[in-house]
Amino acid sequence: MTQLAVDDLTLEVRESARRKTLEITVDRGGELIISAPSGTDEQHLRDFVVEKRLWIYRKLAEKAECRRPLPQKQYVNGEGFLYLGRSYRLKRVSEDAQDAPLKLVAGRFRLREDALPNAREHFIRWYSARATDWLTARVKAQARPMGVEPAGVKVQDLGYRWGSCGKGNRVYFHWKTILLPRPIAEYVVVHELVHLHEPHHTPGFWRRLERAMPDYEQRKGWLARHGIEVEGI
């Protein structure tokens, strides 16, 4: 069974032999996921969904509000672009003003005029390079105190996810993580490193996360409320 329909709700069913409890999550795109121990009776799943129905509707409403259309960047002089939570204004410069298509210099993003047709791609490339350096450093700083040994850090477009853990203990992060304020980006890092101990969002996962980052709930709440704001690139 890969999907479960309960009245007007459809959930993706993810079973795992390592899971001990049921959990429903609403991902950033509004899709519903129910995680369950392997072999869980279908009626038990249905009863759990019914029990959590009001919570699910509330979360779906919150996600719908978050998915409201965002204004697209115009890449004009004065447009603001985020980097580690701070907005930097854009300045378009002549083709001979700098060697790279895009630079951050003296508190301003400088974009060459000849790079304008591919401005978004240049920003993504710039953000991805900075994210790789910054996130790799944060992972190295956090890994030893947390007792984990990640195999490496990969930065890419993860769609609606900020981060994930892959096979072989490699951790992945969305390039947009580098747009978040430092404390929130650090939460994303620690969250994924905890997954190297606890693959699922069990009570044990949240306890371990709290030990590593006692104020994680405030950071997690900020990300849920404001994370959408960094997506208009």
Side-chain angles (χ1 to χ4, degrees):
M1 177 175 52
T2 59
Q3 283 196 329
L4 177 71
V6 180
D7 296 330
D8 59 337
L9 300 173
T10 301
L11 301 91
E12 177 187 346
V13 179
R14 295 181 182 174
E15 294 186 322
S16 170
R18 300 178 64 180
R19 174 168 283 280
K20 304 299 183 184
T21 60
L22 296 178
E23 180 185 38
I24 295 174
T25 54
V26 184
D27 74 12
R28 294 171 66 204
E31 288 76 22
L32 300 174
I33 300 162
I34 182 167
S35 302
S38 298
T40 301
D41 180 71
E42 181 178 340
Q43 188 58 50
H44 186 37
L45 296 178
R46 290 181 176 277
D47 291 343
F48 188 72
V49 173
V50 170
E51 177 188 344
K52 299 293 185 181
R53 191 196 307 266
L54 291 178
W55 178 88
I56 293 172
Y57 287 142
R58 186 172 69 252
K59 287 295 181 181
L60 288 173
E62 292 173 359
K63 297 296 182 182
E65 171 64 19
C66 286
R67 293 199 304 274
R68 65 190 184 278
L70 292 170
Q72 293 300 305
K73 298 294 186 181
Q74 300 302 312
Y75 304 100
V76 296
N77 285 327
E79 182 78 89
F81 290 84
L82 291 170
Y83 175 49
L84 285 173
R86 179 181 169 187
S87 181
Y88 295 86
R89 298 297 180 185
L90 179 68
K91 181 179 181 180
R92 285 162 46 176
V93 299
S94 63
E95 296 180 22
D96 59 354
Q98 61 190 34
D99 55 349
L102 178 68
K103 283 188 173 184
L104 180 59
V105 180
R108 275 184 175 261
F109 277 112
R110 292 164 53 98
L111 177 69
R112 280 196 334 227
E113 289 285 353
D114 64 314
L116 188 59
N118 299 305
R120 186 173 189 274
E121 288 73 19
H122 288 301
F123 265 94
I124 291 174
R125 194 174 298 118
W126 190 93
Y127 281 132
S128 296
R130 300 312 180 279
T132 298
D133 292 343
W134 192 88
L135 291 166
T136 298
R138 296 313 304 152
V139 165
K140 288 181 178 179
Q142 294 285 351
R144 179 172 292 181
M146 293 177 63
V148 294
E149 295 183 4
V153 173
K154 178 78 171 178
V155 172
Q156 61 189 56
D157 190 328
L158 294 178
Y160 288 111
R161 293 177 297 169
W162 291 108
S164 69
C165 284
K167 293 180 179 179
N169 280 5
R170 182 180 293 272
V171 286
Y172 295 81
F173 298 100
H174 200 302
W175 60 263
K176 289 181 179 179
T177 304
I178 201 66
L179 279 66
L180 298 169
R182 291 174 186 267
I184 310 305
E186 288 170 353
Y187 162 73
V188 175
V189 169
V190 173
H191 184 113
E192 294 308 322
L193 292 180
V194 173
H195 274 308
L196 297 180
H197 284 296
E198 302 278 352
H200 306 293
H201 291 139
T202 61
F205 170 91
W206 298 111
R207 286 194 298 269
R208 191 180 289 271
L209 179 55
E210 185 174 26
R211 287 197 297 271
M213 182 172 279
D215 65 343
Y216 86 89
E217 287 191 353
Q218 292 94 314
R219 305 189 199 207
K220 178 174 180 284
W222 190 100
L223 187 60
R225 292 190 302 273
H226 303 290
I228 189 70
E229 296 169 6
V230 310
E231 296 196 0
I233 294 297

